[in-house]
Amino acid sequence: MAIPSLLQSSKTSIQRSRLFLFLCQISTNSSSFFFSTKCRAGLFKIYQVPSQAPPVPKKIPFNVSAHGTTLEDPYHWMRDTSDADFVDFLNLENSYAQAFMADTQDLQRTLFAEMVSRMPAKISTPPERWGPWLYYQYIPEGKEYPVLCRRLETGKSGLLKILINYAREGFEREEVLLDWNKIAEQYGYVHVGTCRVSPDHNFLAYTLDVSGSEQFMLQIKDLRNGCIVPGLQVDGVVSLAWAQDGNTLFYTISDENQRPHRVLCTRLGQDVAFQVPVFVEDDSRFCVDITNTKDGKFITVNSNSRTSSEEENLVYVIDATNPQDGLRRIRKRVSGVQYFLEHHHGLFYILTNAPLNGNKEWSGGNYYLARCQVEDIQSASWQTMIFPSEDESLQDMDIFNRHLVLFINKKGVSMPCSINLPIDVQGEHQMGIQDLNPWFFPLPSNSCSITPGSNHDFMNSLFRVVLTSPVMPDVVVDYDMSKQTFSVVHQEEVRNITGSTGSCLPAFEPDSCEHLNPQNRDRKIQNAQWKKWKEFSDAYCCQRKEVLAHDGAKVPLTIVFSREARQLGQSPGLLLGYGAYGEVLDKSWSGDRLSLLDRGWVVAFADVRGGGGCDSSWHKSGCGLNKLNSIHDFASCGNYLVNEGYVHRDKLGAMAYSAGCLLVGTAVNMYPELFRAAILKVPFLDICNTLLDPSLPLTILDYEEFGNPQIQSQFESILSYSPYNNIIYDHCCPAMLVSSSFHDSRVGIWEAAKWVARIRDSACPDCSRSVILKTNMTGGHFDEGGRYSQCEVTAYDYAFLMKVMGTLTDEV
């Protein structure tokens, strides 16, 4: 289990994906009887279901009308979470889930023990230099949560000595900045949202949620004495940015709908009542975010639409050296246009998709790089620097004193590179990336994903990333952009892996060096031959396929299985998907997943439309009026797994989180014979009713992603696939584990409860006995369970899948 970066990068960035992890509790009940699933698709596998009948909630007539259509919703009353009947219903459902899973207790314990045995006793990250300090994190032995630490590095020891000290755990004068475990012990729940260390390293500003409601409270710790600064515990804070004096802090505040809409400023030493308003976004479609440029000289205030389907933002800059000067707007807001800024020695570098003057071929769909003098930021003309070729797209950037880092996607493959600064561009000349003599970072394979580290130090020539793939544990790599070499700093430890999986393979083969500068090719290969990291491709196969969708689109599908345990055409399988907000589906390494793979399961990841792709068109073609594309894509991937013999026809399961459950829920309705089981985590399933109520948090922001039901054509589109409104009456349904959290402020707990109630009310009564609802009565949407509790919930999920696939007796 890797520790995510807790000191977030200060660079500009286009959204990256999250993997939602949810904490559940496991309980037992032995009352059950055997149930045959022969009513569904002619299957005859037998497993136990409780002898007790599932809970039956009350019904209260309720109708909502739109555009001449009336929707009946007898479970609308569940939206009142203070209703004692609703709480009783959830408790009864938890008891039913407990009884349903009673015969899996031994299997759960076995799976949990396996997962824990693969984790090292202590999990840590390598130190990262920022100024005179080395920052690092670790999870102490036997603890659930990380600890953020630092130590002063006064000598000029160099990277080698730093890493030696790290390997020997030789951290003298260690300072503990933040201990998640102590907070969890005090409150029973902990979710740290944002951490920002002041430029002078004297203060740590962070946001803290101790209830699961995502109402984050701002706290500032004086690192010189370890005390919390009094009078500054502000609620509803989302993002933070320090001015260069180290005493002035900017932060955003959310409204009643959880939309960050105001920017405030305060100086340490002043009473919280003297907060100075800086900016207010009155348009409910936009969220405000603030961040520092890498060199710390400017603060950017970004008013962004929530997704990129109608990419649009408004950007202001604040001089961080003189914050009293106030805001300067970059340009007027234009529909479909976004700007991301960095600063370098008097020049703003702007990643944008703004229309280009005189370029008739530019559609505005993708990004290019422009720049201008600081004093000319509001001018009508910027100098276009880097213009991607037809098969390339610019997806992100970072900047250092001597180097520009670009994240490029070329034909679906990520290709990060660095370019030396300053760049000499004369006049209006536009250049391609290859014209600037880029150094493309060597990567182990095309299947790995790349996540930047914190990279706070503007003066550094090292760019740190985390590389991972379904068959390669997380690897921390430092790319030296000056020397054009790299070093493997750290790799996630995985214990108790036997057989051929223990082999160590080269970081990359010589034929992977095609993107290196020709004059440096031989030196790079020599440099790489002694750099080795561990991957498990000898034991676990990772294949990337392209599946032909219903309309001819090619959908990326990543398939993972054990070479030894997989049985051609007979294996059970699990298909994961998300397909919303332009987010890339997480396909990183998971040691827990080995408990499925070693039992012969095939795990696949469907990058359907609506999620992230090589450019913004992939998202746009699967959202709004095009949402059905993502559902058909998911079903096409499921059929591919069955038809190509990866998975047995009657043993395919599906799994998704949050908005991804819209994908799976609709696919279950539209393709009921395809899936044997489904796991839905904090599921968004009642989309039509939710979007018809603009008073709910985040609803108006979601109009951009899914459509506005106040518009008839969009209402009809949403209603056509809304999972809750399209359950097939008296039809067999797959077994389902629906997990929810009572304090979820993003997706109401009632969505999961209403879905299960209507399934039981409408679907085949025998099949619906295998639909269970499990509610965490204390957590929220991002249920921040620790490393052991995450293993518990994964063991529960896997045990459910193994049971309903009819393989329970084979798995214990």
Side-chain angles (χ1 to χ4, degrees):
M1 173 183 174
I3 306 176
S5 176
L6 300 174
L7 285 174
Q8 293 92 336
S9 173
S10 60
K11 71 187 187 62
T12 51
S13 174
I14 300 176
Q15 286 183 316
R16 298 188 177 88
S17 62
R18 295 179 179 174
L19 176 62
F20 304 123
L21 299 172
F22 305 94
L23 169 62
C24 298
Q25 296 178 348
I26 299 174
S27 52
T28 62
N29 189 308
S30 60
S31 175
S32 60
F33 69 93
F34 284 98
F35 166 64
S36 171
T37 63
K38 65 182 180 181
C39 63
R40 186 175 181 277
L43 301 178
F44 291 93
K45 292 292 184 181
I46 295 175
Y47 56 85
Q48 289 180 328
V49 298
S51 58
Q52 68 195 65
V56 179
K58 66 183 181 184
K59 294 182 179 180
I60 298 177
F62 181 86
N63 295 330
V64 61
S65 298
H67 308 292
T69 299
T70 299
L71 305 177
E72 296 182 356
D73 188 8
Y75 302 114
H76 177 82
W77 65 270
M78 292 182 178
R79 277 188 44 182
D80 182 6
T81 58
S82 64
D83 189 324
D85 289 344
F86 182 55
V87 176
D88 288 344
F89 171 69
L90 295 179
N91 288 327
L92 288 172
E93 285 288 356
N94 277 344
S95 296
Y96 184 78
Q98 170 182 314
F100 184 91
M101 294 293 289
D103 59 339
T104 70
Q105 292 301 305
D106 288 342
L107 175 58
Q108 289 181 51
R109 284 188 284 268
T110 298
L111 293 169
F112 176 78
E114 289 176 6
M115 295 170 189
V116 171
S117 71
R118 297 187 191 105
M119 297 190 303
K122 177 181 176 181
I123 300 176
S124 59
T125 64
E128 185 169 355
R129 183 189 290 277
W130 182 17
W133 293 92
L134 298 176
Y135 288 86
Y136 54 98
Q137 306 157 49
Y138 70 93
I139 301 179
E141 185 172 354
K143 296 292 186 180
E144 290 270 12
Y145 300 101
V147 179
L148 175 62
C149 301
R150 72 177 182 184
R151 74 179 179 92
L152 193 63
E153 182 64 22
T154 56
K156 297 180 179 180
S157 55
L159 177 63
L160 180 59
K161 185 175 179 181
I162 291 173
L163 297 177
I164 292 174
N165 288 338
Y166 162 67
R168 295 176 178 173
E169 298 183 321
F171 291 112
E172 300 178 1
R173 303 183 304 279
E174 178 178 271
E175 296 183 15
V176 175
L177 307 187
L178 193 61
D179 187 340
W180 277 245
N181 299 284
K182 290 184 177 180
I183 301 172
E185 290 170 5
Q186 180 179 357
Y187 297 100
Y189 178 88
V190 58
H191 183 181
V192 175
T194 303
C195 288
R196 289 282 190 257
V197 176
S198 61
D200 56 11
H201 302 270
N202 288 334
F203 296 96
L204 172 68
Y206 61 97
T207 60
L208 180 65
D209 172 22
V210 294
S211 68
S213 65
E214 293 188 68
Q215 285 298 307
F216 289 93
M217 176 177 62
L218 170 64
Q219 293 196 329
I220 301 176
K221 184 177 183 180
D222 190 331
L223 301 180
R224 296 166 296 185
N225 56 29
C227 297
I228 300 297
V229 177
L232 285 173
Q233 285 84 3
V234 184
D235 290 328
V237 175
V238 180
S239 54
L240 308 168
W242 288 97
Q244 281 206 325
D245 60 13
N247 288 305
T248 304
L249 181 67
F250 293 82
Y251 48 94
T252 59
I253 299 287
S254 293
D255 62 13
E256 64 277 4
N257 288 324
Q258 294 185 310
R259 179 181 68 94
H261 73 300
R262 299 177 65 203
V263 179
L264 300 175
C265 173
T266 189
R267 285 182 57 86
L268 300 187
Q270 292 182 345
D271 189 273
V272 69
F274 291 98
Q275 301 172 94
V276 178
V278 176
F279 176 79
V280 178
E281 176 55 81
D282 294 321
D283 192 325
S284 59
R285 299 173 300 160
F286 294 88
C287 298
V288 179
D289 176 64
I290 56 173
T291 189
N292 294 93
T293 57
K294 172 61 74 63
D295 60 3
K297 292 185 177 180
F298 290 89
I299 296 168
T300 61
V301 178
N302 304 276
S303 179
N304 304 296
S305 56
R306 190 181 186 197
T307 72
S308 57
S309 63
E310 292 294 336
E311 296 165 338
E312 181 176 341
N313 72 347
L314 184 64
V315 181
Y316 294 85
V317 293
I318 300 172
D319 186 345
T321 63
N322 190 16
Q324 292 77 17
D325 279 357
L327 297 169
R328 278 195 295 165
R329 190 179 67 186
I330 303 304
R331 285 184 178 179
K332 292 182 179 180
R333 180 177 284 154
V334 177
S335 178
V337 174
Q338 286 191 314
Y339 309 98
F340 300 92
L341 272 69
E342 270 297 354
H343 176 258
H344 183 269
H345 295 296
L347 292 169
F348 279 125
Y349 285 73
I350 308 125
L351 190 63
T352 183
N353 61 344
L356 283 168
N357 294 330
N359 192 320
K360 298 180 180 180
E361 298 179 357
W362 183 247
S363 65
N366 293 323
Y367 291 85
Y368 60 93
L369 190 67
R371 74 177 180 184
C372 68
Q373 297 288 335
V374 167
E375 57 271 19
D376 296 331
I377 189 63
Q378 295 174 310
S379 67
S381 59
W382 295 338
Q383 183 183 34
T384 302
M385 291 183 55
I386 299 176
F387 197 81
S389 62
E390 290 184 0
D391 60 352
E392 295 176 337
S393 63
L394 292 180
Q395 297 192 317
D396 211 343
M397 71 168 173
D398 201 351
I399 205 160
F400 295 80
N401 183 44
R402 296 175 56 192
H403 305 281
L404 170 68
V405 177
L406 296 176
F407 283 80
I408 302 164
N409 189 291
K410 186 169 185 176
K411 297 181 179 179
V413 178
S414 294
M415 296 171 50
C417 68
S418 66
I419 296 169
N420 292 337
L421 292 176
I423 299 173
D424 183 18
V425 180
Q426 300 297 328
E428 298 297 322
H429 179 61
Q430 297 176 2
M431 294 184 292
I433 296 168
Q434 294 292 345
D435 297 329
L436 298 172
N437 194 28
W439 178 50
F440 287 90
F441 300 161
L443 300 173
S445 72
N446 289 341
S447 65
C448 75
S449 62
I450 307 156
T451 303
S454 298
N455 293 308
H456 276 288
D457 199 332
F458 177 73
M459 301 305 295
N460 207 344
S461 64
L462 298 178
F463 186 71
R464 175 165 292 183
V465 303
V466 178
L467 305 179
T468 186
S469 83
V471 295
M472 183 180 72
D474 292 5
V475 181
V476 180
V477 180
D478 281 348
Y479 291 98
D480 189 321
M481 297 176 287
S482 295
K483 298 179 181 178
Q484 296 192 356
T485 60
F486 73 92
S487 58
V488 177
V489 178
H490 173 78
Q491 182 164 27
E492 177 184 345
E493 181 183 352
V494 183
R495 301 189 302 169
N496 293 332
I497 303 293
T498 58
S500 61
T501 59
S503 62
C504 201
L505 299 179
F508 64 91
E509 301 297 333
D511 62 0
S512 300
C513 301
E514 59 184 0
H515 300 305
L516 298 178
N517 292 337
Q519 63 268 32
N520 295 320
R521 188 184 303 271
D522 294 339
R523 179 164 59 88
K524 298 304 172 298
I525 294 174
Q526 294 171 4
N527 178 67
Q529 285 175 343
W530 63 273
K531 298 293 184 186
K532 299 176 183 291
W533 51 54
K534 187 183 293 287
E535 65 172 14
F536 299 131
S537 59
D538 284 349
Y540 303 102
C541 181
C542 179
Q543 298 178 349
R544 189 177 186 273
K545 303 292 185 179
E546 288 187 335
V547 176
L548 200 64
H550 69 288
D551 58 355
K554 295 180 179 179
V555 183
L557 178 66
T558 303
I559 308 171
V560 187
F561 55 86
S562 165
R563 298 183 189 274
E564 179 179 354
R566 172 205 177 197
Q567 295 181 323
L568 185 64
Q570 299 299 312
S571 288
L574 181 63
L575 179 63
L576 294 93
Y578 187 69
Y581 303 115
E583 295 284 357
V584 177
L585 182 63
D586 182 72
K587 296 180 284 293
S588 59
W589 166 264
S590 171
D592 295 350
R593 195 182 297 131
L594 301 186
S595 291
L596 282 183
L597 301 179
D598 289 344
R599 287 171 169 79
W601 283 67
V602 174
V603 179
F605 306 85
D607 284 300
V608 302
R609 281 172 285 185
C614 59
D615 58 50
S616 60
S617 65
W618 192 251
H619 172 225
K620 293 178 180 179
S621 60
C623 69
L625 295 175
N626 298 316
K627 185 60 186 175
L628 278 173
N629 282 337
S630 63
I631 287 92
H632 293 311
D633 289 352
F634 193 73
S636 296
C637 289
N639 281 313
Y640 180 90
L641 293 172
V642 170
N643 295 335
E644 296 299 318
Y646 287 97
V647 176
H648 188 282
R649 180 169 298 277
D650 299 324
K651 294 183 180 181
L652 178 61
M655 183 175 180
Y657 297 82
S658 192
C661 296
L662 182 67
L663 176 76
V664 173
T666 306
V668 164
N669 287 339
M670 295 179 63
Y671 301 90
E673 304 300 330
L674 181 57
F675 299 101
R676 176 79 176 275
I679 295 180
L680 306 175
K681 301 276 195 176
V682 289
F684 184 32
L685 297 164
D686 189 18
I687 179 174
C688 201
N689 285 313
T690 295
L691 294 185
L692 280 169
D693 187 352
S695 69
L696 292 174
L698 307 180
T699 289
I700 295 176
L701 296 174
D702 272 337
Y703 288 168
E704 189 177 311
E705 176 67 20
F706 303 107
N708 183 351
Q710 306 301 328
I711 302 171
Q712 183 170 351
S713 61
Q714 296 180 26
F715 167 78
E716 292 171 351
S717 172
I718 294 167
L719 184 60
S720 71
Y721 64 79
S722 174
Y724 180 69
N725 300 102
N726 287 280
I727 296 171
I728 304 174
Y729 183 76
D730 203 27
H731 199 282
C732 294
C733 65
M736 281 184 263
L737 166 57
V738 184
S739 299
S740 59
S741 293
F742 189 79
H743 296 292
D744 192 337
S745 59
R746 290 181 177 245
V747 181
I749 170 63
W750 57 85
E751 298 222 9
K754 289 171 62 176
W755 166 261
V756 171
R758 180 161 276 187
I759 285 281
R760 299 246 182 81
D761 195 35
S762 304
C764 164
D766 287 334
C767 289
S768 62
R769 294 179 70 90
S770 298
V771 176
I772 61 176
L773 172 64
K774 190 170 188 295
T775 302
N776 179 355
M777 301 301 290
T778 59
H781 192 76
F782 296 112
D783 202 358
E784 294 289 306
R787 58 170 174 162
Y788 296 112
S789 57
Q790 288 176 16
C791 291
E792 285 183 350
V793 70
T794 304
Y796 188 96
D797 293 344
Y798 288 0
F800 172 83
L801 288 172
M802 293 172 188
K803 171 174 178 165
V804 300
M805 292 295 183
T807 61
L808 180 60
T809 56
D810 302 328
E811 307 297 351
V812 179

